[in-house]
Amino acid sequence: DGSMHGKDVLTWLDYNQAEVSQLLAQAQHLKENPYSQSLKGKNLAMIFEKSSTRTRVSFEVGMVQMGGHALYLNTRDIQVGRGETIADTAQVLSGYVDAIMFRTTSHGKLKELAEHASVPVINGLCDIYHPCQALADIFTILELKGRLCGVKVVYIGDGNNVAHSLMILAAMMGMEMVVSAPDGYQPDPLITEKSQALAKRYGGSVVLEENPEKAVKHADVIYTDVWTSMGQEEESEKRLLDFKDHQVNEALLNKAKTNVSFLHCLPAHRGEEVTASVIDGSHSAVFQQAENRMHVQKAILQAVIGWK
Ligand code: CP
Ligand code: NVA
């Protein structure tokens, strides 16, 4: 209905259940009908301050499949890397392109870019959120389980960007979300509070349970992410110790429902947050999940910059 047209996608906290459901339905349509000219002549600038495989390739291929074009801009190469301001960059790019995707070290920079850009800005991962990932996650869960409402998804590991966005969307879709993080790595209390308020409104729940064995009881989905995110490399030795009891392995999987699915945003570190036997085993849907990044992002792009 065009309600999202022109809007930024920085966090799902700015959206409602009806809009998210509409994106999921459109993603399903696009998965069945990938090629169109629906974004003919449209250009997406993609600014990366950090590495990427999935986000970069899925956005670029997605744009091309819809008749548009995408530009890969690494901050090492563009003038931001030499001190040109985000505000100036936002205004300059707005004169050339129809939308900007930004992967950045800080949500503040993302907000600054969005404030000064006259075109929609899409969060391609920041320190607090990873909204495109979470939309692909719930789309995948819907494919696997046939519903979202009442599905129990248990996130094991770091209460980080990936966990935050998943908590928000799970709550908004009436799911039962449990986050099992070791002490010191709990999700941001403010995001927990906001997700719990959403869950209350939509009939779901968001619960913190430090003990992973208790957390995965009756789980429909077990989800994990790396213990050391991009930019935290100097903490990796400490994190290996702090997270050692939060590994997703077969023993943990056996404590969930027998038809439990395993998800991971990827990239993965086998032997750390997940064992090879789990991520390469029969419960894993991680490559289906990775492919779905493209379908949901195409739906986002059509919603915010599609021809009316
Ligand atoms: N999951 C994800 O965002 O992957 P990339 O870092 O490869 O984009
Ligand atoms: N939490 C990870 C996700 C990578 C897609 C990171 O921020 O590096």
Side-chain angles (χ1 to χ4, degrees):
D1 61 1
S3 67
M4 294 180 57
H5 204 268
K7 271 182 81 170
D8 299 317
V9 181
L10 306 187
T11 162
W12 295 120
L13 290 171
D14 300 334
Y15 287 81
N16 61 41
Q17 191 191 58
E19 289 165 326
V20 170
S21 299
Q22 195 184 310
L23 287 171
L24 293 173
Q26 184 61 9
Q28 179 58 39
H29 171 76
L30 289 165
K31 190 166 180 174
E32 288 156 16
N33 307 274
Y35 303 103
S36 69
Q37 291 297 314
S38 55
L39 293 187
K40 189 177 165 62
K42 301 279 188 181
N43 287 285
L44 172 72
M46 310 188 296
I47 310 175
F48 284 90
E49 274 188 328
K50 293 178 171 183
S51 306
S52 171
T53 299
R54 281 144 289 271
T55 305
R56 176 182 177 174
V57 177
S58 57
F59 266 109
E60 179 160 344
V61 173
M63 280 301 290
V64 172
Q65 286 185 352
M66 296 186 289
H69 178 78
L71 299 98
Y72 173 73
L73 307 171
N74 193 296
T75 49
R76 282 190 302 269
D77 307 320
I78 61 173
Q79 299 284 12
V80 199
R82 297 182 52 253
E84 184 167 22
T85 65
I86 298 218
D88 285 358
T89 306
Q91 292 172 87
V92 169
L93 289 178
S94 294
Y96 302 137
V97 302
D98 302 281
I100 305 170
M101 190 238 80
F102 190 22
R103 168 166 287 195
T104 175
T105 55
S106 105
H107 192 66
K109 289 192 212 172
L110 192 72
K111 283 205 290 200
E112 196 183 345
L113 187 83
E115 206 171 289
H116 294 275
S118 58
V119 298
V121 172
I122 300 169
N123 184 352
L125 179 148
C126 67
D127 53 339
I128 316 179
Y129 301 113
H130 197 359
C132 298
Q133 181 66 52
L135 191 64
D137 299 340
I138 64 162
F139 181 83
T140 308
I141 294 170
L142 183 58
E143 283 185 328
L144 293 169
K145 307 294 173 188
R147 68 195 167 101
L148 290 177
C149 195
V151 171
K152 180 170 176 180
V153 50
V154 181
Y155 178 96
I156 310 276
D158 193 6
N160 61 11
N161 45 9
V162 167
H164 289 156
S165 288
L166 187 58
M167 288 161 71
I168 293 164
L169 276 192
M172 195 179 285
M173 304 316 280
M175 301 172 72
E176 288 178 34
M177 173 102 202
V178 180
V179 178
S180 183
D183 190 33
Y185 298 93
Q186 304 291 349
D188 183 318
L190 198 67
I191 293 174
T192 303
E193 203 178 289
K194 286 184 179 178
S195 322
Q196 285 172 336
L198 275 172
K200 201 167 173 195
R201 179 156 152 221
Y202 291 111
S205 56
V206 176
V207 172
L208 306 183
E209 170 52 68
E210 204 177 309
N211 183 326
E213 299 191 356
K214 285 188 190 161
V216 299
K217 262 207 169 145
H218 308 298
D220 295 296
V221 177
I222 295 179
Y223 194 119
T224 192
D225 183 15
V226 290
W227 290 343
T228 300
S229 284
M230 292 183 276
Q232 299 173 329
E233 289 75 11
E234 74 285 358
E235 298 173 20
S236 70
E237 241 170 278
K238 175 173 166 36
R239 284 170 169 268
L240 273 177
L241 291 174
D242 293 347
F243 283 99
K244 68 176 190 332
D245 296 329
H246 284 76
Q247 182 189 62
V248 179
N249 50 38
E250 277 177 291
L252 194 65
L253 224 64
N254 285 335
K255 298 202 155 56
K257 282 193 184 164
T258 51
N259 67 343
V260 66
S261 299
F262 173 74
L263 298 179
H264 190 310
C265 57
L266 304 180
H269 291 75
R270 286 170 176 75
E272 293 187 20
E273 76 276 5
V274 61
T275 58
S277 62
V278 168
I279 195 168
D280 301 319
S282 60
H283 295 272
S284 176
V286 298
F287 299 116
Q288 177 182 342
Q289 179 188 9
E291 182 194 313
N292 285 337
R293 288 290 304 278
M294 181 168 72
H295 307 304
V296 301
Q297 287 158 200
K298 287 170 73 178
I300 293 172
L301 289 163
Q302 283 191 336
V304 299
I305 62 166
W307 294 106
K308 293 213 238 182

